[in-house]
């Protein structure tokens, strides 16, 4: 509760969009900020039958830029007032609470000097969606969740730009995993999904 998800959508995500939406609705998210780069994707997102009381806001990114660069140019004033906290997550990333007694709101209360935390990845590759769910393994990164009113920009796929830690504040990493929060990253959802993502990616890898 109190968390909105800032995500990106393109047509390749269509077979998985319902799973993504329903998962976040089930854990309490009531607002999606969906970034698109063309009219067709915007129409697909807006035409979806979303569970009540979830609402969406379509955010248009520049179509002439790779998705990550377009996201960095998105003005946070367009979404920062819509929920107390914002999670940056792609359509193959599922925030997973491992305990029921610690909400995101309470976690930020425990770390009042923190403007954002990084939720660690649990990598969960899937090549055959009909097989038993494979076990995950720790990834090398994660995704940020931040106090919305302190977001100044999206700095990268893995960080918001926020004010620095308050003077005298603790600078140790917030132990999100040990406190019961991980981000399950289904970095491939089928063999076809992997192939399509490689053939149609607009990300610039250097």
């Amino acid at each position: 509760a109190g968390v909105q998800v800032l995500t990106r959508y393109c047509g390749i995500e269509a077979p998985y969009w319902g799973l993504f939406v329903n998962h976040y609705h089930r854990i309490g998210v009531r607002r999606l900020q969906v970034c698109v780069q063309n009219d067709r994707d915007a129409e697909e997102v807006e035409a979806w039958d979303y569970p009540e009381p979830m609402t969406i806001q379509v955010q248009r990114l520049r179509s002439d830029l790779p998705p990550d660069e377009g996201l960095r140019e998105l003005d946070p004033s367009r979404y920062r007032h819509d929920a107390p906290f914002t999670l940056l997550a792609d359509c193959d990333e599922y925030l997973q609470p491992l305990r029921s007694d610690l909400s995101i709101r309470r976690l930020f209360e425990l770390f009042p000097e923190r403007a954002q935390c990084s939720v660690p990845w649990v990598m969960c590759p899937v090549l055959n969606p009909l097989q038993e769910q494979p076990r995950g393994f720790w990834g090398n990164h994660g995704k940020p969740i931040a106090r919305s009113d302190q977001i100044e920009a999206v700095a990268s796929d893995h960080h918001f730009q926020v004010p620095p830690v308050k003077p005298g504040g603790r600078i140790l990493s917030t132990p999100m995993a040990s406190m019961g929060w991980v981000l399950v990253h289904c970095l491939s959802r089928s063999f076809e999904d992997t192939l399509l993502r490689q053939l149609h990616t607009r990300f610039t890898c250097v």
Side-chain angles (χ1 to χ4, degrees), residues 96-155:
Q96 185 63 50
L98 304 179
R99 52 191 284 187
S100 60
D101 61 337
L102 183 64
S103 66
I104 292 294
R105 186 185 300 274
R106 178 56 181 153
L107 187 143
F108 274 93
E109 290 174 351
L110 294 173
F111 296 90
E113 76 285 355
R114 284 280 169 183
Q116 73 176 327
C117 299
S118 180
V119 188
W121 272 337
V122 172
M123 312 301 281
C124 187
V126 179
L127 289 180
N128 179 3
L130 299 179
Q131 72 183 17
E132 184 179 353
Q133 183 77 359
R135 295 181 179 180
F137 56 91
W138 289 116
N140 64 337
H141 225 304
K143 285 296 183 70
I145 187 166
R147 302 177 193 271
S148 300
D149 62 359
Q150 297 195 47
I151 296 175
E152 299 171 346
V154 175

Side-chain angles (χ1 to χ4, degrees), residues 12-135:
I12 293 174
E13 303 292 350
Y16 313 99
W17 184 241
L19 297 173
F20 178 83
V21 168
N22 289 334
H23 170 79
Y24 280 99
H25 179 267
R26 186 169 60 251
I27 64 173
V29 169
R30 296 295 177 259
R31 183 75 165 171
L32 297 178
Q33 303 285 347
V34 188
C35 299
V36 299
Q37 292 185 287
N38 60 59
D39 292 338
R40 179 178 177 178
D41 290 344
E43 291 170 359
E44 289 182 2
V45 168
E46 291 172 336
W48 198 270
D49 185 17
Y50 294 91
E52 296 288 346
M54 179 176 276
T55 59
I56 67 160
Q57 177 66 43
V58 172
Q59 303 285 357
R60 293 298 295 261
L61 305 182
R62 285 177 52 181
S63 60
D64 60 327
L65 294 176
D68 54 332
E69 293 183 24
L71 187 60
R72 290 198 291 272
E73 292 199 355
L74 180 63
D75 183 353
S77 68
R78 291 164 56 178
Y79 60 83
R80 69 156 68 101
H81 303 296
D82 291 342
F85 306 99
T86 301
L87 168 70
L88 179 61
D90 289 329
C91 293
D92 59 357
E93 296 173 329
Y94 296 78
L95 185 67
Q96 185 63 50
L98 304 179
R99 52 191 284 187
S100 60
D101 61 337
L102 183 64
S103 66
I104 292 294
R105 186 185 300 274
R106 178 56 181 153
L107 187 143
F108 274 93
E109 290 174 351
L110 294 173
F111 296 90
E113 76 285 355
R114 284 280 169 183
Q116 73 176 327
C117 299
S118 180
V119 188
W121 272 337
V122 172
M123 312 301 281
C124 187
V126 179
L127 289 180
N128 179 3
L130 299 179
Q131 72 183 17
E132 184 179 353
Q133 183 77 359
R135 295 181 179 180

